[in-house]
Amino acid sequence: LTFGRAGARRRRAVRAIAAAAVAVSELRRARASADEQRYKSVGIFLYKEILELGGLWIKTGQYAASRADVLPRALSRELRPLADGAPALPLSSALRAAVAAELGLERLVGPRGAGNKGAAS
């Protein structure tokens, strides 16, 4: 079964919500017991989920990692690799993918490089 773009967006949103729910639950347990190891394991879990979700989530993780004054040190230490270790995505590819997804551009003009290259006169 394929659900298209809308289905993919829904699955991505559900995954983000589920990951956030698990993280919040574990953070509450860690805070209640002041367990440094639990904070570390939550950080590892969040790091993996953030990389999987990509995009704005990586930016959010980078910001969170820089806030050791707000988050427990063990957790922010695990998120710190997001600052320089996150996989790079060329801007042109990211912009093209976003525009194509939002406007249905691939359906209208085909993949990059296909079709006419010059302007019609």
Side-chain angles (χ1 to χ4, degrees):
L1 275 179
T2 54
F3 296 101
R5 286 191 320 248
R9 277 189 237 142
R10 257 187 233 113
R11 281 191 303 279
R12 192 175 167 101
V14 167
R15 182 183 179 116
I17 291 168
V22 168
V24 166
S25 173
E26 288 299 312
L27 284 173
R28 284 183 180 159
R29 288 182 186 158
R31 191 178 328 146
S33 64
D35 184 2
E36 194 78 8
Q37 183 59 37
R38 192 174 287 239
Y39 282 127
K40 182 177 178 174
S41 61
V42 170
I44 293 169
F45 169 77
L46 282 175
Y47 176 79
K48 290 177 182 176
E49 288 299 314
I50 287 170
L51 281 181
E52 221 20 68
L53 290 166
L56 181 62
W57 293 101
I58 291 177
K59 266 300 172 209
T60 304
Q62 290 170 343
Y63 176 73
S66 71
R67 296 302 311 261
D69 60 325
V70 176
L71 292 177
R73 290 189 194 280
L75 183 101
S76 63
R77 226 184 348 259
E78 294 303 321
L79 295 178
R80 203 168 295 142
L82 289 171
D84 53 27
L89 178 64
L91 183 59
S92 61
S93 296
L95 283 174
R96 179 161 174 77
V99 169
E102 289 300 315
L103 301 177
L105 194 59
E106 292 296 324
R107 275 184 302 177
L108 298 175
V109 297
R112 187 176 204 179
N116 297 333
K117 304 239 187 265
S121 53

